[in-house]
């Protein structure tokens, strides 16, 4: 069963009606035609609704609990995934997962945040909010990939780095800065994808890439809309206004030159058809890898440097 967002109530009503008709269908009563007509209406309503989402509605879609997460992408994108754990300094952080994998015949190092999909896994993965050891693990894996000439793919889905006291005590800001520096210094291709929510330094730490891809209904910003509203208006209830002002959607960021490519989602969002969403991402990644892999180390570094220096120019 799909969890419906507030703006999807008309869709939910139609789906409820379809479910009722299916239960009522019997040998004496053939309701297939009516059900078919309602299903067509649902698809049209979803297309119309998702074609005109506001930034705040896109934020809700990006945070949808049934949206595919890192483990889902690993299952659909990769063969022979070998997880690599620990930062070799403090310990293991479950919010960031990474390891060696193959996407078709292309060997890569893949890294990303995992939010979890139920209460137990969300607590285990700390809702995708990494501590310093998570970013130091990412640094270790990126440097390993650089040493062995493997492209790096990062999948971003976090509201931000963990803001707890223990994380600050272990050098959260320094770990994020070092991770960002490592991204920029790599001599191998780095492709990052905002698959859900890309928040603050917790996102950019693994997303300072040659090519930044973004799902159609994902968001990417320096702060959450609620946080922005609390700072500007002292009222988190103005998150909708903040989301509009922040230009955090894929379309906005593509227009600003921050995002290089938008990956289209199935009608009604990636959570309605994860397999199609993951297949679309796989196609995009293979194209980007084919474009970047032949490039020289110096060209890749120069390309990355120019990309970020040109932002806002």
């Amino acid at each position: 069963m799909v969890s419906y967002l507030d703006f999807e109530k008309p869709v939910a009503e139609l789906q409820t009606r379809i479910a009722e008709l299916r239960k009522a269908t019997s040998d004496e009563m053939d309701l297939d035609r009516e059900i078919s007509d309602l299903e067509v209406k649902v698809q049209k309503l979803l297309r119309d609704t998702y074609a005109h989402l506001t930034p705040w509605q896109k934020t809700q879609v990006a945070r949808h609990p049934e949206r595919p997460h890192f483990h889902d992408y690993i299952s659909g994108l990769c063969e022979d995934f070998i997880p690599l754990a620990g930062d070799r300094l403090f310990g293991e952080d479950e919010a960031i997962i990474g390891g060696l994998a193959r996407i078709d015949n292309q060997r890569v190092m893949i890294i990303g945040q995992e939010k979890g999909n139920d209460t137990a896994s969300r607590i285990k993965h700390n809702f995708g909010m990494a501590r310093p050891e998570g970013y130091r693990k990412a640094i270790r894996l990126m440097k390993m990939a650089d040493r062995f000439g493997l492209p790096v793919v990062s999948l971003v889905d976090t509201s931000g780095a963990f803001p707890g006291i223990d994380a600050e005590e272990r050098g959260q800001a320094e770990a994020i800065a070092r991770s960002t520096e490592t991204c920029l210094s790599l001599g191998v291709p780095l492709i990052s994808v905002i698959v859900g929510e890309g928040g603050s330094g917790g996102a950019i730490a693994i997303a300072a890439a040659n090519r930044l891809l973004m799902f159609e209904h994902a968001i990417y910003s320096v702060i959450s809309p609620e946080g922005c509203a609390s700072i500007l208006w002292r009222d988190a209830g103005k998150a909708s206004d903040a989301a509009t002002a922040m230009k955090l959607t894929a379309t906005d960021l593509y227009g600003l030159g921050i995002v290089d490519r938008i990956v289209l989602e199935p009608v009604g969002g990636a959570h309605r058809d994860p397999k199609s969403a993951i297949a679309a991402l796989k196609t995009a990644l293979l194209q980007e890898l084919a474009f970047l892999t032949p490039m020289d180390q110096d060209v890749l570094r120069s390309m990355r440097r120019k990309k970020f220096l040109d932002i806002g120019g």
Side-chain angles (χ1 to χ4, degrees), residues 166-184:
D166 61 328
E168 297 298 335
E169 287 175 340
R170 293 198 294 276
Q172 183 73 290
E174 186 268 349
I176 290 171
R178 293 290 183 191
S179 185
T180 307
E181 179 187 41
T182 301
C183 288
L184 294 170

Side-chain angles (χ1 to χ4, degrees), residues 48-68:
D48 292 345
T49 300
Y50 274 74
H52 301 94
L53 293 180
T54 67
W56 178 241
Q57 288 169 338
K58 282 185 179 280
T59 302
Q60 294 174 277
V61 176
R63 295 171 175 173
H64 197 288
E66 291 160 23
R67 197 171 175 86

Side-chain angles (χ1 to χ4, degrees), residues 91-129:
E92 167 66 344
D93 185 284
E94 296 281 1
I96 290 184
I97 299 172
L100 299 164
R102 284 189 301 112
I103 302 177
D104 278 2
N105 292 319
Q106 174 69 63
R107 293 184 304 143
V108 299
M109 181 72 76
I110 188 163
I111 303 167
Q113 285 111 352
E114 170 61 63
K115 284 185 172 181
N117 55 16
D118 57 28
T119 301
S121 64
R122 284 170 190 148
I123 292 171
K124 174 184 176 182
H125 296 290
N126 200 33
F127 299 86
M129 297 185 294

Side-chain angles (χ1 to χ4, degrees), residues 51-235:
H52 301 94
L53 293 180
T54 67
W56 178 241
Q57 288 169 338
K58 282 185 179 280
T59 302
Q60 294 174 277
V61 176
R63 295 171 175 173
H64 197 288
E66 291 160 23
R67 197 171 175 86
H69 294 141
F70 186 80
H71 282 305
D72 301 308
Y73 288 108
I74 287 295
S75 298
L77 286 174
C78 303
E79 302 91 38
D80 303 329
F81 176 64
I82 303 172
L84 300 172
D87 66 346
R88 304 298 188 265
L89 293 168
F90 179 84
E92 167 66 344
D93 185 284
E94 296 281 1
I96 290 184
I97 299 172
L100 299 164
R102 284 189 301 112
I103 302 177
D104 278 2
N105 292 319
Q106 174 69 63
R107 293 184 304 143
V108 299
M109 181 72 76
I110 188 163
I111 303 167
Q113 285 111 352
E114 170 61 63
K115 284 185 172 181
N117 55 16
D118 57 28
T119 301
S121 64
R122 284 170 190 148
I123 292 171
K124 174 184 176 182
H125 296 290
N126 200 33
F127 299 86
M129 297 185 294
R131 292 176 168 85
E133 47 271 25
Y135 295 108
R136 289 174 181 140
K137 174 171 64 177
I139 292 169
R140 182 173 76 84
L141 299 188
M142 286 190 283
K143 287 184 175 179
M144 182 186 296
D146 201 17
R147 189 179 312 126
F148 292 104
L150 298 175
V152 178
V153 174
S154 66
L155 305 181
V156 178
D157 190 12
T158 181
S159 58
F162 184 63
I165 292 174
D166 61 328
E168 297 298 335
E169 287 175 340
R170 293 198 294 276
Q172 183 73 290
E174 186 268 349
I176 290 171
R178 293 290 183 191
S179 185
T180 307
E181 179 187 41
T182 301
C183 288
L184 294 170
S185 67
L186 290 177
V188 293
L190 170 56
I191 303 167
S192 296
V193 189
I194 313 298
V195 296
E197 189 176 11
S200 192
I204 193 67
I206 60 171
N210 291 98
R211 297 281 291 175
L212 180 61
L213 283 60
M214 189 168 174
F215 266 118
E216 181 182 6
H217 301 309
I219 61 168
Y220 189 31
S221 64
V222 71
I223 191 172
S224 69
E226 297 93 334
C228 178
S230 296
I231 292 169
L232 293 182
W233 297 293
R234 303 289 190 270
D235 182 4

